[in-house]
Amino acid sequence: MDAEELLEKYAEDERNFQKVKLNGVELKGADLSEIDLSYADLTGADLSEANLSKAKLISTSLSRASLTGANLSGVEINSTNLSLADLRDADLSGANLSSCNLSNANLDRANLTGANLSGANLTRAALSEAKITGANLYGANLTGADLTGADLSRSNLSAANFQDVNLQGAKLKAVNLNKFNLSGLNLDNVDISGADLGDTNLKKSSLQGANLERSSLQGANLIKANLRKANLKRADLTDARTYGAIIKETDLSGAIMPDGEIFNSDTSKKD
């Protein structure tokens, strides 16, 4: 099947295109809302700026496909192969991407608000400035992913793998990172305000200029962490390990220190 035949049948209200072979097909800007392309092969296809809202792409092969600026809101894409796919600026809000292979995919500036990414493979994916608020990333593999400037606020990050991830300038407001291993990561200028970082391993991590206001850091490992110019207002550092940590120009106003005492910003002493 070629693009012309698919579009003709779609215009005649046909929606079931399961298992079709459309390798390298040109469908840029096409309106394909609610289409069913489950188990189809669209390897290398051009679907940039296409309307695929509420489409079914279950177990579809979209490896190396271009979906730049495509509307994929409400789409079902679980178990789909999207490795090396170009999804820059794509609208994936509310999409079901559970167990998808998104390794090395480009999702820069993509809208993943409320998306289900549980168990997804996002190794080495580019997610710079992506909007991932309120998403489900339970058990997702983000090893080596670029999340520079991404917004993951209020997302479920339980059991996710953050090894070697770049979170510089990202927003992680009110997330649960309890007992996560974030050692050695670049977390400069990250907004982790109101987050749970209890017992989290931040050893040798760089948190320069990071916003940790009202965050819980009880029992956290901050050994040799760089907290220069970080905001730790009203943060809870009870039992945190801070040996060798760089605390210069750091705002600790009202913070609960490792010994349980409250830091007094007026006198630069603990009460």
Side-chain angles (χ1 to χ4, degrees):
M1 180 178 290
D2 58 20
E4 185 178 356
E5 183 181 355
L6 181 145
L7 292 172
E8 286 179 358
K9 289 186 175 182
Y10 183 88
E12 295 170 355
D13 293 327
E14 175 67 47
R15 294 294 181 268
N16 188 348
F17 294 91
Q18 291 190 13
K19 299 181 180 179
V20 296
K21 293 188 180 297
L22 293 162
N23 308 60
V25 71
E26 169 65 56
L27 288 165
K28 183 177 181 178
D31 184 357
L32 299 169
S33 60
E34 299 185 5
I35 195 170
D36 187 351
L37 288 163
S38 300
Y39 311 103
D41 186 354
L42 286 104
T43 302
D46 185 0
L47 290 156
S48 54
E49 300 175 18
N51 180 8
L52 288 157
S53 58
K54 298 182 181 179
K56 290 185 179 180
L57 300 169
I58 300 168
S59 297
T60 304
S61 178
L62 286 158
S63 178
R64 299 189 303 281
S66 175
L67 290 137
T68 305
N71 182 356
L72 292 149
S73 58
V75 74
E76 291 185 53
I77 321 182
N78 54 309
S79 302
T80 294
N81 182 8
L82 284 157
S83 62
L84 297 167
D86 187 347
L87 288 151
R88 287 174 294 171
D89 301 296
D91 184 356
L92 287 150
S93 54
N96 182 0
L97 293 150
S98 60
S99 303
C100 279
N101 180 6
L102 286 152
S103 59
N104 295 290
N106 190 340
L107 289 143
D108 287 346
R109 301 176 303 280
N111 184 359
L112 290 151
T113 303
N116 181 3
L117 289 151
S118 59
N121 180 3
L122 288 153
T123 55
R124 297 178 300 281
L127 290 146
S128 179
E129 298 181 22
K131 190 175 182 180
I132 321 174
T133 55
N136 181 8
L137 286 149
Y138 179 86
N141 187 353
L142 290 148
T143 301
D146 181 7
L147 286 154
T148 306
D151 191 347
L152 294 104
S153 299
R154 299 180 302 281
S155 289
N156 178 7
L157 304 174
S158 300
N161 187 344
F162 273 71
Q163 184 178 352
D164 298 323
V165 70
N166 186 353
L167 286 162
Q168 187 173 9
K171 293 181 181 178
L172 293 151
K173 294 180 181 180
V175 296
N176 185 350
L177 292 167
N178 188 277
K179 297 182 180 179
F180 267 58
N181 182 10
L182 302 175
S183 60
L185 294 185
N186 183 349
L187 298 163
D188 291 348
N189 301 308
V190 168
D191 187 345
I192 326 179
S193 55
D196 184 355
L197 293 154
D199 296 313
T200 296
N201 185 2
L202 289 157
K203 184 177 181 180
K204 295 183 179 179
S205 291
S206 182
L207 287 149
Q208 287 195 78
N211 183 5
L212 292 149
E213 186 170 352
R214 300 186 311 279
S215 286
S216 173
L217 288 150
Q218 293 186 19
N221 183 352
L222 290 161
I223 294 173
K224 295 184 179 180
N226 186 351
L227 291 160
R228 186 183 181 90
K229 295 185 178 180
N231 177 6
L232 285 157
K233 290 181 180 178
R234 297 186 292 282
D236 188 349
L237 291 152
T238 306
D239 296 325
R241 287 168 284 168
T242 59
Y243 175 79
I246 299 173
I247 305 176
K248 294 181 180 179
E249 302 177 74
T250 304
D251 192 342
L252 290 158
S253 305
I256 302 174
M257 302 306 285
D259 59 5
E261 297 293 318
I262 297 176
F263 187 89
N264 188 325
S265 58
D266 293 330
T267 60
S268 299
K269 296 179 180 180
K270 293 179 289 179
D271 287 337

